Amino acid sequence: MTSTARPATNYTLAAAIVGVLAAAPVLAETAAPNELAEIVVTATRRSTTVLDVPYNISAISGALIEQSHVLDTAELMRSVPGVSVVDRGDRNSSVVSGIRIRGLNVDSSALGDYAVSASATVSTYVNDTPLFANFLLTDIDRVEVLRGPQGTLYGSGAIGGTVRYILREPELGKFDGSISASASKVTGSGSVGGSGTLTLNLPIGETLALRVTATQNQFPGVTDYVNLYQLDAHGIPVAPNGVLDPAAAYRVQKDADFSHQSYARAALKWKPRDGLDVTLSLTGQSDRYGGRRATSLGTDGNGVPYTDNQVGSVQLEPASRNVYLAALEANIDLGFATLTSSTSQYNHHGDITSENTGFYAQNGWLANFYYNYPRPMASAVRTYGDKAVIEELRLVSTAGKAVDWVVGAYYQNQSLSSTQDSYLRGFKQWWDAALPAYASAVISDQDYLYRQDEHFRDAALYGELTYHVTPDFQVTAGVRSFDDKSVVNVHQETGLYAAIFDSSDSKGEFGESKTIFKGNASWRFAANNQLYATVAQGYRRGGSNGTPTTGNFAENPAWTKFRADTDIDYEVGVKGASQGGLTYNADVFFIDWTHPQINSATTNWGFFAVQNGDKAQSKGIELQLNGAIGTAFHYGLGYTYTDAHLTADAIAADGTYTINTNGAQLPGVPKNTINVSGSYAVHLANGTLTFRADGYNQSETQDTLYSAAIFGNHAPPPSAYTGQPKYYYPMQGFWLWNASTTYATSSWDATLWIKNISNDRGVTGVYTPAYMGTAPNQNYYGNGSKALITLPRTVGLTMTYRF
């Protein structure tokens, strides 16, 4: 296969960053004030600066996102120390969250074609609404990244951390706006992409303001699907020499993975007097994708190797999704405290088609169950849905007293759905022609149907109390007490042969009431410098898989339910700023994770299921440094070391095999990551010219938790890859470098930008050849294996006019 990554992390550079941190007092003597330290955040539910928050938090301003022309969440998260991300491209960016904080992950990096049952380890918020929607980064005020469990301040807790997307609010008494347009070219693509954004802030009298923004992206693809079947009007592979002849007709689709995205938001703010404001907002996004951004591994069935950005699937893999969010947020100053009410309703749903032919071939199904059907095309057509109504009430005491407090109540009523319809396209037509006497033995092309519906309710009380023992020393205690209930209904139909057709209906229920705690202490040992320590508990709800336990496709009852998982996060750190404006943060963390939830599949028939491991652990260090030399040059440095591994053997739910053993590295978690950035501004007579560059490096990672030697990890005959692991693929580390140049005046600016300057193929997930590869001995001449790659080198120009 073509090389897709460079060697692992340069540890000399990592050591150099540590050295720079140690030399911070020397650099501080000439450093200019660092404006990044002045970003106001509300992570503690009070407006304060990043430096005043007594734990490790990162904040990225919306202005910096715009100036750096950050394209998506994957690029944004790579700029934050301690955060890693699985970059699955636009097609899969809204199905399963790829954000991982402090190494808490046990799921395969290749997940993303269907909605998993286990909640993400990192929660995401859009303002005050807990929602993973992966909206476009349009008109953002800031993004806050909170590391560690956050359940005592946020109604929807998570075990790994929380990412908050704070959108810009309407401004009273001010008319302004902006319009921007971009053109871009990706290496390997045959077309030019375009993007445009319009933002308006409209005052309506003295007490009302309306803010509207809209973005349209039209990006061509970069991936060529080179082994596609030609299809007839019914979507069945064309048989040029007749149905019974094994010949097939193929075609090539260039730039198949296009991305068309439309985003809009309208927010109306009413502020009749000081101390009272109400904001109603409506946000929506509609996306359509043509296929995956990937490269197939190995060769096609004729031995022809794939080159970069070529995929061997025999069918296109389109996807689409729509998400709508309505929110009403109100703040009332009661004198002793501020009462905040957040009411929201959202509906997020989508569909996605996957190539499953390689999966059938590598399991031997095409030969063993489908008589080596001559033009196999296994389609998995999936949908996912998530809708909820959420209410949160919060009281935040007025600051300035010996005791500060926050109390809140949270209620969530959520409905989740997931479906799959699997087809072996054209099989019924071929069967009827090949064996007309037995035509009734085959019902249709559909060999699997899956429907899952879950209703989840969460009710919680939470709060924190802070006692200022002295002006420089404070302690905080937090608590979250909640009651969760979920009901899952699953309907499945299996088998396209009349003799073995089977269906099952199952129902599972899960409920738990629990209380979790948090403790924090901080000491301001010098002006703008503090030492802090935190112990926090995290909790993620359990649930039911609804797997069948009777009939032809019965599974062991051990697969029917999965337990909640919990963790305890210990963190000690120091953060602050020098008089010259140099800011820093350094911390160590240790996380003990109990019963980690693994999105997996059942042993006998591979039904979707979640199971629990026993124990895992993550520990490491996080270092950040931001500063300036003079008034023109600003820089940022970050280094994170994460050691995340099992601390007990992970056993399949039914006890039939060991997934991996004590000490195994958790998947998708690089041990070393490096973040570097710099900017230099030149002031000219009519404007400012600014040069920016940033880089990200991660060391090697594992694609999956599954050991290379476990039971069931080798494809059986007649697979072409017998003996190779199906779910194991070490991924090399890589560097990504970006740069931009902006010329800005008071009313307009132009930015020339380039992403992934060296055109590195950063691989963050893999469908292996032994899992999805070619099998000409079963008439599968395509190849469904894929390395999920980062965006190739992209050059763009953005023009913005402000009024």
Side-chain angles (χ1 to χ4, degrees):
M1 60 169 285
T2 302
S3 175
T4 54
R6 288 191 174 183
T9 302
N10 185 333
Y11 297 102
T12 302
L13 181 55
I17 291 175
V18 177
V20 170
L21 286 169
V26 177
L27 294 176
E29 293 177 2
T30 57
N34 181 6
E35 62 181 13
L36 296 179
E38 300 304 317
I39 297 178
V40 174
V41 296
T42 54
T44 61
R45 297 304 193 181
R46 289 184 174 83
S47 295
T48 185
T49 66
V50 172
L51 289 180
D52 287 332
V53 177
Y55 46 84
N56 191 351
I57 173 177
S58 294
I60 306 98
S61 70
L64 184 60
I65 292 172
E66 292 169 357
Q67 292 163 10
S68 302
H69 201 80
V70 176
L71 294 178
D72 54 27
T73 298
E75 181 185 349
L76 178 68
M77 290 298 113
R78 283 194 290 260
S79 70
V80 182
V83 181
S84 59
V85 61
V86 177
D87 189 351
R88 303 183 179 98
D90 289 342
R91 174 183 178 269
N92 296 95
S93 62
S94 60
V95 185
V96 177
S97 175
I99 303 173
R100 294 159 180 179
I101 295 179
R102 291 182 171 172
L104 293 192
N105 176 70
V106 289
D107 287 335
S108 167
S109 298
L111 282 177
D113 270 27
Y114 55 89
V116 295
S117 296
S119 303
T121 59
V122 176
S123 65
T124 53
Y125 271 73
V126 179
N127 285 346
D128 273 341
T129 302
L131 165 65
F132 174 68
N134 208 24
F135 284 124
L136 295 180
L137 299 173
T138 296
D139 207 31
I140 298 280
D141 182 73
R142 66 188 182 277
V143 177
E144 300 177 6
V145 179
L146 288 64
R147 299 166 179 83
Q150 303 295 326
T152 61
L153 274 183
Y154 294 86
S156 175
I159 61 176
T162 295
V163 177
R164 305 179 67 219
Y165 298 91
I166 312 300
L167 309 182
R168 290 188 178 125
E169 294 186 355
E171 296 184 69
L172 298 178
K174 184 178 181 180
F175 171 78
D176 65 11
S178 66
I179 184 169
S180 68
S182 298
S184 58
K185 182 69 166 63
V186 184
T187 299
S189 177
S191 304
V192 174
S195 177
T197 297
L198 172 66
T199 300
L200 289 173
N201 191 91
L202 304 171
I204 306 174
E206 296 181 353
T207 61
L208 280 174
L210 174 68
R211 189 175 187 90
V212 294
T213 186
T215 295
Q216 180 75 34
N217 291 340
Q218 295 283 324
F219 297 135
V222 66
T223 302
D224 299 335
Y225 277 59
V226 296
N227 295 127
L228 294 173
Y229 284 130
Q230 294 183 25
L231 305 179
D232 64 17
H234 302 288
I236 295 173
V238 169
N241 300 328
V243 174
L244 297 180
D245 189 89
Y250 294 90
R251 69 182 183 91
V252 174
Q253 179 72 52
K254 295 281 190 179
D255 301 342
D257 58 320
F258 67 80
S259 175
H260 297 167
Q261 301 169 297
S262 300
Y263 169 89
R265 180 175 185 260
L268 181 66
K269 185 172 184 176
W270 177 51
K271 189 174 182 180
R273 60 175 176 82
D274 289 342
L276 172 62
D277 64 81
V278 180
T279 302
L280 172 66
S281 63
L282 302 174
T283 307
Q285 185 167 324
S286 180
D287 302 334
R288 190 163 61 93
Y289 312 112
R292 301 179 193 268
R293 187 178 72 210
T295 297
S296 284
L297 308 176
T299 70
D300 65 17
N302 294 311
V304 178
Y306 294 98
T307 60
D308 286 346
N309 306 329
Q310 288 188 338
V311 163
S313 296
V314 295
Q315 60 191 307
L316 290 173
E317 299 176 284
S320 65
R321 68 94 176 228
N322 294 279
V323 56
Y324 308 99
L325 167 64
L328 181 65
E329 300 171 358
N331 299 286
I332 306 172
D333 187 350
L334 303 177
F336 70 95
T338 298
L339 174 65
T340 298
S341 170
S342 174
T343 305
S344 56
Q345 186 273 336
Y346 68 79
N347 189 344
H348 184 193
H349 58 276
D351 62 82
I352 196 163
T353 298
S354 306
E355 158 78 306
N356 252 16
T357 321
F359 176 71
Y360 280 39
Q362 296 311 315
N363 281 298
W365 295 352
L366 295 176
N368 296 333
F369 301 125
Y370 300 108
Y371 296 86
N372 268 345
Y373 165 52
R375 287 165 297 278
M377 177 176 148
S379 301
V381 181
R382 301 179 173 111
T383 69
Y384 58 92
D386 177 7
K387 58 183 180 180
V389 175
I390 299 165
E391 173 62 36
E392 187 165 357
L393 290 172
R394 183 172 61 251
L395 267 175
V396 181
S397 69
T398 303
K401 299 183 179 180
V403 176
D404 296 331
W405 48 267
V406 177
V407 295
Y410 174 86
Y411 177 80
Q412 178 182 17
N413 193 327
Q414 183 181 30
S415 295
L416 298 163
S417 64
S418 179
T419 75
Q420 177 171 326
D421 292 271
S422 294
Y423 305 89
L424 191 61
R425 306 286 187 182
F427 181 76
K428 170 65 173 171
Q429 180 189 65
W430 171 82
W431 176 274
D432 290 351
L435 299 166
Y438 301 95
S440 61
V442 173
I443 302 170
S444 69
D445 286 351
Q446 185 166 4
D447 58 1
Y448 183 57
L449 179 147
Y450 176 86
R451 301 288 185 270
Q452 175 174 303
D453 293 292
E454 177 183 4
H455 180 73
F456 172 70
R457 181 198 57 78
D458 182 17
L461 297 174
Y462 65 91
E464 288 190 0
L465 185 147
T466 299
Y467 175 44
H468 300 275
V469 182
T470 72
D472 296 321
F473 179 67
Q474 65 181 34
V475 292
T476 298
V479 64
R480 181 176 189 260
S481 183
F482 57 90
D483 180 68
D484 287 349
K485 290 184 179 179
S486 70
V487 178
V488 178
N489 291 284
V490 176
H491 173 74
Q492 299 182 90
E493 296 178 6
T494 46
L496 50 71
Y497 294 103
I500 64 169
F501 176 83
D502 197 7
S503 66
S504 68
D505 290 279
S506 53
K507 179 178 180 179
E509 297 185 16
F510 177 87
E512 185 167 4
S513 298
K514 191 176 178 67
T515 300
I516 58 175
F517 300 94
K518 171 185 173 181
N520 171 268
S522 64
W523 171 48
R524 193 173 299 276
F525 59 87
N528 296 321
N529 291 269
Q530 63 174 312
L531 177 69
Y532 59 87
T534 302
V535 179
Q537 292 180 301
Y539 169 90
R540 180 169 53 163
R541 73 181 194 240
S544 173
N545 292 313
T547 51
T549 57
T550 60
N552 293 333
F553 299 94
E555 293 284 355
N556 190 306
W559 290 102
T560 57
K561 292 184 178 182
F562 58 97
R563 301 175 59 177
D565 58 352
T566 59
D567 70 341
I568 303 179
D569 187 308
Y570 304 88
E571 175 185 344
V572 176
V574 60
K575 67 192 305 185
S578 70
Q579 292 183 350
L582 188 75
T583 64
Y584 66 93
N585 184 93
D587 71 80
V588 296
F589 64 87
F590 176 86
I591 303 171
D592 192 16
W593 191 5
T594 303
H595 306 308
Q597 294 174 9
I598 305 170
N599 285 291
S600 182
T602 58
T603 303
N604 294 335
W605 297 103
F607 296 128
F608 302 132
V610 182
Q611 71 154 81
N612 296 99
D614 190 0
K615 285 183 176 295
Q617 183 183 100
S618 182
K619 56 186 176 183
I621 60 173
E622 297 163 331
L623 307 173
Q624 296 171 261
L625 184 70
N626 290 281
I629 298 176
T631 59
F633 179 65
H634 292 259
Y635 62 87
L637 300 170
Y639 170 72
T640 303
Y641 171 78
T642 306
D643 179 13
H645 58 272
L646 295 176
T647 52
D649 292 351
I651 311 295
D654 55 8
T656 56
Y657 65 91
T658 299
I659 296 173
N660 215 324
T661 56
N662 187 351
Q665 181 180 348
L666 299 190
V669 180
K671 282 195 173 182
N672 298 274
T673 59
I674 297 171
N675 314 82
V676 295
S677 63
S679 66
Y680 184 78
V682 179
H683 297 284
L684 306 175
N686 298 316
T688 302
L689 186 64
T690 304
F691 303 91
R692 299 182 185 86
D694 64 85
Y696 168 82
N697 174 264
Q698 71 173 48
S699 59
E700 65 275 3
T701 58
Q702 292 290 340
D703 182 55
T704 178
L705 181 66
Y706 285 76
S707 162
I710 67 162
F711 167 80
N713 208 5
H714 300 285
S719 163
Y721 292 94
T722 301
Q724 294 186 13
K726 294 171 64 176
Y727 311 114
Y728 178 85
Y729 195 94
M731 297 177 292
Q732 294 181 328
F734 56 88
W735 270 103
L736 296 176
W737 290 98
N738 309 314
S740 65
T741 300
T742 300
Y743 180 72
T745 70
S746 59
S747 59
W748 66 271
D749 59 63
T751 300
L752 178 65
W753 47 270
I754 180 169
K755 306 294 182 183
N756 193 1
I757 297 172
S758 57
N759 202 30
D760 271 9
R761 296 298 195 236
V763 176
T764 58
V766 172
Y767 296 85
T768 68
Y771 178 47
M772 285 281 187
T774 189
N777 58 342
Q778 296 181 77
N779 294 319
Y780 179 51
Y781 287 85
N783 188 326
S785 72
K786 301 171 187 76
L788 308 180
I789 59 173
T790 56
L791 183 69
R793 182 191 299 115
T794 304
V795 179
L797 176 65
T798 300
M799 303 287 294
T800 302
Y801 175 68
R802 295 176 295 276
F803 51 88

